[in-house]
Structure formats: C-alpha cells, structure tokens
Amino acid sequence: MELRQLEYFLQICNSGSFTKASEVLGVSQPTLSQQIRVLEGELNIPLFNRIGRGIKITDAGKILFDKSESIMQLLDEVHNEFFELREMKRGFITVGGLLEDLNYLTPQITQFHQLYPNIFVKIIESEDVVNQIVENNIDIGITRCTQVPDTLTITLLYSQEFVLVVEKNHPFDKKPFVTFQELVGLSRIMVSSSCREVIDLYIKTLGLSLCEVSIVTKSLFSLLSLVRNGFGVAIVPISIVDFIKEDTLSVVRIVDPIPSQDINLIHRDDKILSYAARDFINRLKDTEKH
C-alpha cells in the first residue's frame, strides 16, 4: 500500500466519481482505475461497488476512508512539526558542564533564547561531561578535557584565566597583580576541585612549593564565603568574578605566567544534531572567533 494510492482513494470518495477525481488529481482515468484495482488486490477486498457509471463505497471502503483521513492528517502534522524544527519554532537542547565554565556562556545562551524563545535549553551540571556525551545523555558538552574518544568532535571555545580572591585589608588587597613566587609562604590557599590539577601543574613547572592547599571543594561560592570570613585566599576562574559584587572581597590577577585552562566544546560525530543544537554550537564558535 502506497500513500499515493490512499491519496487517489480519498479523492475518489470526496469527488464521487473516478472521472472527477482524475481531473482533480491530474492523472488519466485508466491510471486511476488501475491503481485502485492494485489497492483492492493488496487488501483482498473491494472498496467500491460499480453501479453503472456510478460508484458506491463499500463497508470496507468506509473503514479505509476513515483510517486514510487519519493517516493523511498525521502526515500533515509530521510535515508541520518538521517545518517547525527546521525553522527553529520548537526544540530541546541539553548542555552539560561545570557551572563555572558555563557561566562564561551565559550571554550567548541568553541571546539564543531571545532569538528562539520556543527552544528549551537545559543546563546539566556535570564533572564527567565526556561520558555524558558518549552515553548520549546530553547533546553538547563544555569541558576542560583535551583527550576525548575519536567518536567525538572537540573544538576550543576559549581560554579561562585564573585569579586570586582575597578579603579586604589582605596584604595583596591593593595590588593589581601578584606572581606565583609571591604566593609562596601564604597559608590557606584554596582552590576548586575542577582547577586543582592545572594549578598544581603551574606550580610544578615553575619549580615552586606552595603551602598545602587547605580546602578543595566543588563549590566556588563556598570558597568565596570562606575568603569572606577570613579563612584564607582562593584561586578561582575569572568567570566567577562577575558574581563578586561586594566590598568585602578583592580580585588580584596572577602573572608570570598567567594561569589559564582551555575550555572545549564536544559533541558526538555519529549523532544527527537538531537544527537548534547545530545553530547553538555555531553561535558559540562564531562568538569566540570575534
């Protein structure tokens, strides 16, 4: 059974004759009759009673008529929904990553939502973004990992700088920048678990030895709270600085060298991404180019 045959059948029913239906459809009457005979042969039951030059739909024909109308309506709905997806009138995107990395992308996410208000972007906090992508739990991953399976596409988005946060009246409070050398001897240096590895690498490369890190936590806001309460200083991603809008804390840049870490975008090679997801990825890439 073909959709074309159902279309022919419905038009005959609505027109009341093969002649009128052939005119509407733009096919010859013999072709139309032949297709209906094929359809009746496949179903092994007559759909029309031929009475003289007229026709009358059979009980089987009535069943097929009702079902065919439903099929055509569903097909129209499919085409409409596909159009909405292509034109980005609807859709769903899942993006995973660490919140401190995703914070940097907030302007782009906001702009995307303004352009496509009916596209739902779900943000999922995850430290294991690579596996989330591999297991097809999310569409797009924002990660600091540089080694990913060959089945994934990885694109550099930006380089995240790390800065020092101190409380007011700390000896470094008024300094525009400090070096790693100046951090030697400081007690209670705190970092988030997500940037501990890269900070340790910088220290090792420089041949320095800092005091043992007192606290390692996933929560950057917990670190800021500890600094605020005089527990120590914290090395945090610069993207978190936008959330420091108070007079109790100061931000000091670290130089010689400037510590940073690449933030990458990953997605599966073998997954057909939605129009919305592809547009979202391209917008992130284009933003970083400019």
Side-chain angles (χ1 to χ4, degrees), residues 132-185:
Q132 290 286 335
I133 290 286
V134 170
E135 294 173 6
N136 205 26
N137 294 326
I138 58 177
D139 299 315
I140 302 166
I142 308 299
T143 180
R144 301 176 185 192
C145 291
T146 56
Q147 302 298 320
V148 300
D150 293 338
T151 55
L152 304 187
T153 293
I154 182 168
T155 304
L156 174 65
L157 280 184
Y158 65 95
S159 187
Q160 171 100 293
E161 180 182 345
F162 295 106
V163 294
L164 187 71
V165 177
V166 302
E167 63 177 329
K168 290 293 184 181
N169 302 319
H170 187 278
F172 291 160
D173 176 21
K174 302 300 182 181
K175 292 176 70 69
F177 56 83
V178 296
T179 65
F180 272 102
Q181 185 68 50
E182 290 178 278
L183 298 181
V184 175

